[in-house]
C-alpha cells in the first residue's frame, strides 16, 4: 500500500488502483477520476461552459433592452431568460468555479496528497451536469423554463407557475446535494489532512476562506433544499406553506429564502477574498497585512450574514423595529468588510508592485468590489431602499459585487495558477487585452445601471419608458463588448494548455505557498510525503 | 519508525477521523434541513405573539373589554379582493366605520357566486398596519368557516368585532383586508 491510500475514502474495502498506475486514458479518466486535480479541472471547465451559456442569455436580454419596445422576444420568454441567467451564473458558474479552485489548490496548499473523500468528490462533480441538463431542458418543454426569477418567490413559483416548478426544484435539489458534498469534503480535508506542523493559524488565508465558506454551505444549502421542497408540495401536493388560502403566508417564503439567500451571497464572495489575499501579497512582494485580522473579519462576516436577511424585504411591511434591526446589522457587516479592503490596500502600500495580469484583476477587484459595497450600504438604508428596491440600482449593486467582485477574482486566480496547472505561461499580450477590454466594458455595462435605477427603471422587465433609452443603449453596448471580451480568455486558456513558454516551478518571485514548491505543471500526485517543516514555516 | 511507517500510521488515524468528521457534518446538514421546516411553526408563533404579519385571530374570541373609551375614535376600513380564478362578486356593505375602542360593532359583507357551478370560498383576513392585528378582535367572522355558494347564489356574511382599549395611540386607522380564495378543490 502506498501513501496515496491516505486519499482513499474512509470506508472503502477494495482499492481503486488508478493511483498506483497513474491515470487512465480518454473519457474514462474523467468519468472515474478521484484525483483532486482532475476534478478541479472538471469543475473549472464546467463553470466556464455554464458562464458562456448564462452569458449567451444575457446577450439576448441586452439585445431586447437595446431600445424601448418589444422587438426580439416575448415577455414570458424574457422572464425565462432572466431567471435561468441568474440561476446558471450563481449555481452553475461562480460556485462551481470556486469549488474547482478549492479542489485544485487546497490539498496542495496544506500539503495533503488529495482531498479527504475522493470518491465523494467524483460524485459531487458528476451530478452537477445532470442538474443543469434538467434545468435547461425545461426550455424545450411546453411549459417553458422557470420564469419566476432566480429568487422564485411564492406565489409566482406556485400558484402562478408555468409548470416548470418540478423541474426547477429537482435541479436545485441536485445542485444542493452537490454543493453539500463538496463542502463536507473541503471541511474534512482541511481539518484532517493538514501537513504536520501546519496549524490553523498558519494556513494560507485562501484555505481559511474556503473553510468558512464550506461551513456556510453546510448550514444554508439544507435550508434551500427545504424551501424548494415546500414549494414543490405547495404546487403539486396541496400543502399550504405559502398559500394564504390554506393558512400559509407568502411573506414567510421570503424569510426562509433569504435566510439562505444572504449567506449565499457571502458564499460567492468569501472565496474571492481568499484569492485576492493570495495574489495581492505575491505581486506586492510583501506578506499579507493583518493576517489574523483577516481570519477574524472573514469569520465575523460569515456569522453576521445570518442576521441580515430581511434587508431584502424592507418593503414587505415590516414593523419599524424590524427595519431598524436589519438596517443596523447590515451596516455592521461593512465594518469587517472594510477591514479587509484596508488590509489589501495596506499590503500594497510601499510594496514593490508589479502589474502582471493576476494583479491587474486583483486591483480592479479591490476598487470595483468596493463600489459594489458602497451601493450595498445605500441599499441597506431602509428609507432609501423603498426607492431603490426592485430597480436597476439593485442590479447594478449585485453585478458589481458578483462580476467585478467574484468573477474578477476568479480571473485573477486563474491567471495566477494557470502556469502551475498547465506548465506553460499564458500569452501575456492577450491576457492584457482580456483585462483591459473587460475592465472598460464591464463599467460601461454596469455603471449606468445605477443611474437607471435611481431614475426609477424597474428590474426584470422586457420593455421600458422612453426616458431610459439612452442609458440602456450604452449598457447594451457595454454588455456585448464584455461578452466578446470573455472569449479572449477562452483563447488564452486553450493556447496556454497547448503550449507557450515553459513555466518554472515558481513563476512569480513574490509568491508564497506550498503549491510553488512542486514542479509546473503540478505532478499528478503531490505531497505523497508531507512537505518539510521549513517550507511550511516559509508561507 | 521509518518515514513510510509513520505515514502508514497517519493514514489509519486520518481515515477514522474522516468518518467521524463526516458524521458530525451530516448531522449539521440534517439539523439545518429540519431547521428550515421548523421555521414554519416558529414563524407562526413569532407572528402570533407579535402580530407582525397582520394576521388576526382565526377562531372566535369572547368580548372581554373592560369598558369603552369614548374619548377616542378609530377608523376601520374594509377592503376585499378576489384571488386568481374565483368569479364571485365580493364586497363590503359599508366601506368604512368609526368605532370607539372597546365598542362592539357588527358589519356585513356581500358575496355572490357568478359562476355556473358551485364553489367553496374562503376569505382570509389581514390587518394593516401589521402591529394593530393583535388589537383587533373578531367575535364572529365569516372567515372562520368555509363558505359554499351554489351557482348564482348570494349571501350576506357578518363580522362582529371590537378594537382593543390598548390600541397604541399612534394608530388611528385600521384597514381590514379580505382576500377570497377558491378552495373547492382543496376541501373536496
Ligand atoms: C457591504 C456589503 C453589502 C451590503 C451592505 C449589501 C446590501 C444589500 C441590500 C440591502 C440588498 C437588497 C436590495 C433590494 O432588493 O432592495 C442587496 C441585494 C443583493 N446583494 Fe448585496 N450587499 C452587500 C454585499 C454583497 C455581496 C458581497 C454580494 C455577493 C457577492 C451581494 C449580492 C447581492 C445580490 C445578489 C442582491 C440581489 C438579490 C436579488 O434581489 O436578486 N451583496 N444587497
Ligand atoms: Cu443580502
Amino acid at each position: 500500500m502506498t501513501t496515496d491510500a491516505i486519499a482513499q475514502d474512509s470506508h472503502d474495502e477494495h482499492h481503486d488502483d488508478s493511483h498506483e498506475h497513474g491515470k487512465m486514458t480518454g473519457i474514462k479518466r474523467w468519468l472515474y477520476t478521484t484525483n483532486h486535480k482532475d476534478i478541479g479541472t472538471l469543475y473549472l471547465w464546467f463553470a466556464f461552459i455554464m458562464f458562456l451559456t448564462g452569458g449567451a442569455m444575457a446577450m439576448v436580454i441586452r439585445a431586447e433592452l437595446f431600445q424601448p419596445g418589444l422587438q426580439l422576444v416575448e415577455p414570458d420568454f424574457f422572464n425565462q431568460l432572466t431567471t435561468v441567467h441568474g440561476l446558471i451564473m450563481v449555481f452553475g458558474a461562480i460556485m462551481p468555479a470556486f469549488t474547482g479552485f478549492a479542489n485544485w489548490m487546497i490539498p496542495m496548499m496544506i500539503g495533503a496528497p488529495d482531498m479527504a473523500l475522493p470518491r465523494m468528490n467524483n460524485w459531487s462533480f458528476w451530478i452537477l451536469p445532470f442538474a443543469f441538463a434538467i434545468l435547461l431542458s425545461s426550455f424545450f418543454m411546453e411549459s417553458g423554463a422557470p420564469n419566476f426569477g432566480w429568487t422564485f418567490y411564492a406565489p409566482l413559483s406556485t400558484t402562478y407557475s408555468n409548470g416548470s416548478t418540478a423541474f426547477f426544484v429537482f435541479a436545485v435539489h441536485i445542485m444542493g446535494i452537490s454543493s453539500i458534498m463538496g463542502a463536507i469534503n473541503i471541511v474534512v480535508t482541511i481539518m484532517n489532512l493538514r501537513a504536520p506542523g501546519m496549524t490553523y493559524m498558519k494556513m494560507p488565508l485562501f484555505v481559511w476562506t474556503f473553510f468558512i465558506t464550506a461551513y456556510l454551505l453546510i448550514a444554508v444549502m439544507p435550508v434551500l433544499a427545504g424551501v424548494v421542497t415546500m414549494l414543490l408540495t405547495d404546487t403539486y401536493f396541496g400543502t399550504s406553506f405559502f398559500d394564504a388560502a390554506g393558512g400559509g403566508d407568502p411573506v414567510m417564503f421570503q424569510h426562509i429564502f433569504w435566510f439562505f439567500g444572504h449567506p449565499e451571497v457571502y458564499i460567492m464572495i468569501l472565496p474571492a477574498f481568499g484569492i485576492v489575499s493570495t495574489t495581492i501579497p505575491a505581486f506586492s512582494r510583501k506578506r499579507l497585512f493583518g493576517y489574523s485580522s483577516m481570519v477574524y473579519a472573514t469569520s465575523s462576516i460569515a456569522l453576521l450574514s445570518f442576521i441580515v436577511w430581511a434587508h431584502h424585504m424592507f418593503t414587505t411591511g415590516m414593523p419599524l423595529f424590524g427595519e431598524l434591526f436589519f438596517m443596523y446589522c447590515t451596516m455592521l457587516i461593512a465594518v469587517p468588510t472594510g477591514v479587509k479592503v484596508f488590509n489589501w490596500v495596506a499590503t500594497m502600500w510601499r510594496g514593490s508592485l508589479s502589474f502582471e495580469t493576476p494583479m491587474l484583476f486583483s486591483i480592479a477587484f479591490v476598487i470595483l468590489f468596493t463600489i459594489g459595497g458602497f451601493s450595498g450600504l445605500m441599499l441597506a438604508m431602509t428609507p432609501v431602499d423603498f426607492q431603490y428596491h426592485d430597480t436597476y440600482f439593485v442590479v447594478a449593486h449585485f453585478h458589481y459585487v458578483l462580476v467585478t467582485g467574484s468573477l474578477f477574482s476568479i480571473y485573477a486566480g486563474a491567471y495566477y495558477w494557470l502556469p502551475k496547472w498547465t506548465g506553460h505561461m499564458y500569452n501575456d499580450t492577450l491576457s492584457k487585452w482580456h483585462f483591459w477590454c473587460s475592465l472598460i466594458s464591464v463599467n460601461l455595462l454596469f455603471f449606468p445601471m445605477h443611474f437607471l435605477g435611481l431614475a426609477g427603471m424597474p428590474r426584470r422587465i422586457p420593455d421600458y419608458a422612453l426616458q431610459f433609452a439612452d442609458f440602456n443603449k450604452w449598457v447594451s453596448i457595454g454588455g456585448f463588448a464584455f461578452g466578446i471580451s470573455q472569449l479572449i480568455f477562452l483563447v488564452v486558456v486553450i493556447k496556454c494548455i497547448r503550449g507557450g513558454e515553459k513555466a518554472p516551478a515558481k513563476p512569480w518571485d513574490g509568491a508564497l505557498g506550498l503549491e510553488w514548491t512542486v514542479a509546473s505543471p503540478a505532478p499528478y500526485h503531490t505531497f505523497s510525503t508531507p512537505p518539510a517543516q521549513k517550507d511550511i514555516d516559509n508561507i | 519508525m521509518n518515514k513510510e511507517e509513520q505515514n502508514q500510521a497517519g493514514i489509519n488515524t486520518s481515515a477514522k477521523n474522516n468518518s467521524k468528521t463526516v458524521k458530525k457534518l451530516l448531522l449539521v446538514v440534517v439539523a439545518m434541513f429540519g431547521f428550515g421546516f421548523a421555521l414554519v411553526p416558529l414563524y407562526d408563533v413569532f407572528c402570533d405573539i407579535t402580530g407582525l404579519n397582520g394576521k388576526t385571530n382565526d377562531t372566535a374570541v369572547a368580548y372581554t373589554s373592560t369598558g369603552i373609551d369614548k374619548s377616542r375614535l378609530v377608523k376601520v376600513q374594509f377592503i376585499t379582493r378576489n384571488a386568481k380564478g374565483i368569479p364571485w362578486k365580493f364586497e363590503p356593505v359599508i366601506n368604512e366605520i368609526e368605532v370607539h375602542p372597546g365598542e362592539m360593532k357588527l358589519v356585513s359583507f356581500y358575496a355572490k357566486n357568478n359562476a355556473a357551478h358551485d364553489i367553496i370560498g374562503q376569505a382570509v383576513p389581514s390587518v394593516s398596519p401589521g402591529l394593530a392585528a393583535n388589537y383587533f378582535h373578531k367575535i364572529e367572522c365569516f372567515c372562520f368557516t368555509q363558505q359554499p355558494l351554489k351557482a348564482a347564489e348570494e349571501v350576506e356574511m357578518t363580522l362582529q368585532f371590537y378594537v382593543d382599549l390598548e390600541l397604541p395611540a399612534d394608530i388611528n386607522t385600521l384597514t381590514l383586508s379580505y382576500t377570497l380564495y377558491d378552495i373547492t378543490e382543496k376541501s373536496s
Side-chain angles (χ1 to χ4, degrees):
Chain A
M1 192 154 134
T2 70
T3 49
D4 276 307
I6 206 172
Q8 293 293 314
D9 272 332
S10 37
H11 317 288
D12 68 5
E13 300 86 43
H14 51 87
H15 285 276
D16 175 345
D17 59 357
S18 64
H19 62 277
E20 272 157 356
H21 309 307
K23 32 192 167 176
M24 291 189 219
T25 48
I27 182 84
K28 275 197 176 163
R29 163 177 172 194
W30 299 105
L31 276 177
Y32 298 134
T33 184
T34 55
N35 178 287
H36 73 101
K37 300 187 183 81
D38 281 352
I39 293 174
T41 306
L42 286 170
Y43 266 112
L44 289 168
W45 273 112
F46 178 78
F48 194 62
I49 291 165
M50 282 294 119
F51 175 64
L52 294 181
T53 313
M57 293 171 192
M59 294 300 103
V60 181
I61 293 171
R62 279 326 313 176
E64 174 60 51
L65 293 174
F66 188 77
Q67 60 184 66
L70 290 174
Q71 33 275 326
L72 289 174
V73 293
E74 295 291 315
D76 181 53
F77 186 62
F78 183 92
N79 290 344
Q80 296 176 24
L81 286 176
T82 49
T83 303
V84 181
H85 163 77
L87 289 169
I88 289 207
M89 289 307 198
V90 167
F91 295 104
I94 302 288
M95 289 170 66
F98 282 136
T99 316
F101 276 98
N103 269 294
W104 249 105
M105 304 319 301
I106 289 176
M108 287 210 276
M109 285 184 167
I110 62 174
D114 204 312
M115 296 295 278
L117 311 161
R119 299 209 175 164
M120 188 168 87
N121 209 6
N122 174 291
W123 273 101
S124 66
F125 173 76
W126 277 111
I127 61 176
L128 260 192
F130 291 95
F132 286 90
I134 290 175
L135 181 63
L136 287 169
S137 70
S138 56
F139 269 115
F140 304 101
M141 295 181 190
E142 213 177 320
S143 62
N147 59 0
F148 29 71
W150 83 276
T151 50
F152 54 98
Y153 280 13
L156 288 177
S157 52
T158 53
T159 317
Y160 303 101
S161 159
N162 59 1
S164 58
T165 301
F167 274 79
F168 162 78
V169 169
F170 290 133
V172 171
H173 273 152
I174 302 175
M175 292 168 204
I177 291 171
S178 163
S179 301
I180 290 172
M181 293 202 295
I184 289 181
N185 211 346
I186 289 174
V187 172
V188 177
T189 307
I190 296 174
M191 287 180 70
N192 296 348
L193 293 192
R194 273 168 297 126
M198 181 169 290
T199 58
Y200 280 110
M201 288 315 266
K202 268 193 190 152
M203 294 195 309
L205 200 79
F206 178 95
V207 179
W208 259 113
T209 55
F210 278 83
F211 193 42
I212 293 168
T213 305
Y215 270 114
L216 280 182
L217 278 165
I218 291 169
V220 299
M221 286 315 266
V223 176
L224 174 70
V227 74
V228 294
T229 308
M230 294 179 211
L231 214 64
L232 187 78
T233 59
D234 262 18
T235 314
Y236 300 102
F237 303 111
T239 58
S240 303
F241 288 107
F242 310 126
D243 184 4
D249 187 338
V251 175
M252 185 177 69
F253 171 87
Q254 297 185 30
H255 281 290
I256 305 180
F257 175 78
W258 287 115
F259 183 83
F260 149 80
H262 189 81
E264 166 68 17
V265 308
Y266 283 99
I267 287 167
M268 294 190 283
I269 202 68
L270 295 184
F273 292 170
I275 291 176
V276 296
S277 300
T278 313
T279 52
I280 289 179
F283 297 102
S284 308
R285 289 159 188 81
K286 272 176 68 186
R287 266 164 205 283
L288 180 65
F289 184 86
Y291 169 87
S292 50
S293 70
M294 285 298 228
V295 173
Y296 297 128
T298 313
S299 318
S300 40
I301 291 176
L303 288 176
L304 283 173
S305 76
F306 285 102
I307 52 163
V308 298
W309 76 88
H311 64 214
H312 297 273
M313 303 171 55
F314 283 144
T315 58
T316 52
M318 268 189 286
L320 188 63
F321 173 79
E323 311 242 340
L324 289 174
F325 174 81
F326 286 108
M327 170 166 111
Y328 289 130
C329 286
T330 304
M331 293 191 163
L332 208 58
I333 292 200
V335 176
T337 313
V339 169
K340 303 209 137 233
V341 174
F342 179 85
N343 286 351
W344 293 320
V345 175
T347 306
M348 288 189 269
W349 181 253
R350 301 220 166 139
S352 43
L353 271 62
S354 59
F355 299 96
E356 286 87 345
T357 311
M359 184 61 163
L360 291 175
F361 272 107
S362 307
I363 295 174
F365 168 94
V366 174
I367 297 168
L368 298 176
F369 170 76
T370 305
I371 293 181
F374 279 139
S375 57
L377 273 178
M378 290 172 71
L379 290 165
M381 294 186 270
T382 310
V384 291
D385 184 65
F386 274 68
Q387 182 193 341
Y388 305 155
H389 181 63
D390 264 346
T391 68
Y392 260 79
F393 193 83
V394 179
V395 181
H397 160 65
F398 67 72
H399 282 94
Y400 264 88
V401 284
L402 282 170
V403 177
T404 60
S406 309
L407 180 69
F408 270 30
S409 83
I410 289 170
Y411 282 140
Y415 282 115
Y416 184 64
W417 284 301
L418 261 177
K420 184 56 62 191
W421 296 339
T422 65
H424 302 122
M425 298 306 288
Y426 52 80
N427 182 314
D428 194 48
T429 321
L430 270 181
S431 74
K432 294 256 157 76
W433 272 97
H434 174 219
F435 172 74
W436 288 108
C437 289
S438 297
L439 182 75
I440 294 165
S441 60
V442 85
N443 283 295
L444 184 60
L445 166 56
F446 295 125
F447 208 80
M449 286 186 183
H450 291 114
F451 306 130
L452 281 170
L454 293 178
M457 178 167 160
R459 63 190 281 206
R460 294 173 170 157
I461 46 145
D463 185 11
Y464 48 83
L466 288 181
Q467 71 266 31
F468 303 128
D470 287 351
F471 276 137
N472 267 292
K473 189 174 73 189
W474 288 112
V475 167
S476 285
I477 292 171
F480 302 139
F482 186 72
I484 293 167
S485 309
Q486 303 324 298
L487 298 177
I488 307 176
F489 180 68
L490 181 63
V491 176
V492 175
V493 171
I494 291 175
K495 277 172 80 96
C496 185
I497 292 172
R498 295 209 160 155
E501 190 194 323
K502 228 85 209 66
K506 186 173 151 193
W508 320 115
D509 56 332
L512 298 166
L514 291 174
E515 72 268 33
W516 307 111
T517 62
V518 302
S520 295
Y524 202 55
H525 298 293
T526 41
F527 297 116
S528 302
T529 46
Q533 186 64 41
K534 70 166 173 26
D535 289 336
I536 294 175
D537 291 339
N538 248 335
I539 57 176
Chain B
M1 245 200 309
N2 65 22
K3 191 140 200 191
E4 187 80 356
E5 274 164 354
Q6 235 168 21
N7 286 328
Q8 189 66 52
I11 293 155
N12 297 334
T13 51
S14 101
K16 228 186 280 152
N17 287 345
N18 286 355
S19 55
K20 233 199 276 165
T21 320
V22 171
K23 273 183 205 137
K24 274 189 214 147
L25 293 174
L26 281 177
L27 216 67
V28 179
V29 170
V30 173
M32 287 311 289
F33 188 71
F35 178 71
F37 284 87
L39 280 175
V40 177
L42 281 176
Y43 179 83
D44 282 343
V45 170
F46 190 73
C47 290
D48 219 36
I49 296 170
T50 57
L52 285 187
N53 63 348
K55 267 193 197 168
T56 49
N57 56 304
D58 53 10
T59 48
V61 293
Y63 177 79
T64 53
S65 187
T66 50
I68 296 176
D69 182 357
K70 293 263 186 206
S71 66
R72 211 175 146 193
L73 264 184
V74 178
K75 199 189 282 178
V76 181
Q77 305 173 318
F78 305 103
I79 52 179
T80 57
R81 228 193 105 228
N82 286 20
K84 185 179 151 186
I86 178 159
W88 285 18
K89 188 177 161 95
F90 173 48
E91 56 188 28
V93 174
I94 47 163
N95 292 320
E96 192 175 292
I97 189 171
E98 297 212 309
V99 299
H100 296 296
E103 176 190 13
M104 196 148 43
K105 281 280 174 186
L106 190 74
V107 292
S108 46
F109 287 71
Y110 170 83
K112 177 169 190 233
N113 182 355
N114 284 330
H117 55 275
D118 305 355
I119 289 178
I120 304 174
Q122 168 80 57
V124 176
S126 168
V127 164
S128 175
L131 278 180
N134 279 356
Y135 303 93
F136 185 84
H137 306 297
K138 287 172 291 164
I139 297 164
E140 192 201 325
C141 179
F142 56 95
C143 59
F144 294 150
T145 52
Q146 305 176 346
Q147 180 66 53
L149 280 188
K150 298 208 168 55
E153 192 185 348
E154 53 186 351
V155 68
E156 245 184 49
M157 308 175 294
T158 54
L159 161 70
Q160 196 173 21
F161 70 92
Y162 70 99
V163 173
D164 204 292
L165 288 172
E166 307 286 317
L167 180 76
D170 58 332
I171 301 179
N172 298 311
T173 306
L174 291 182
T175 309
L176 178 63
S177 151
Y178 281 103
T179 307
L180 183 71
Y181 292 90
D182 178 351
I183 56 158
T184 316
E185 256 175 50
K186 283 203 173 170
S187 56
S188 65

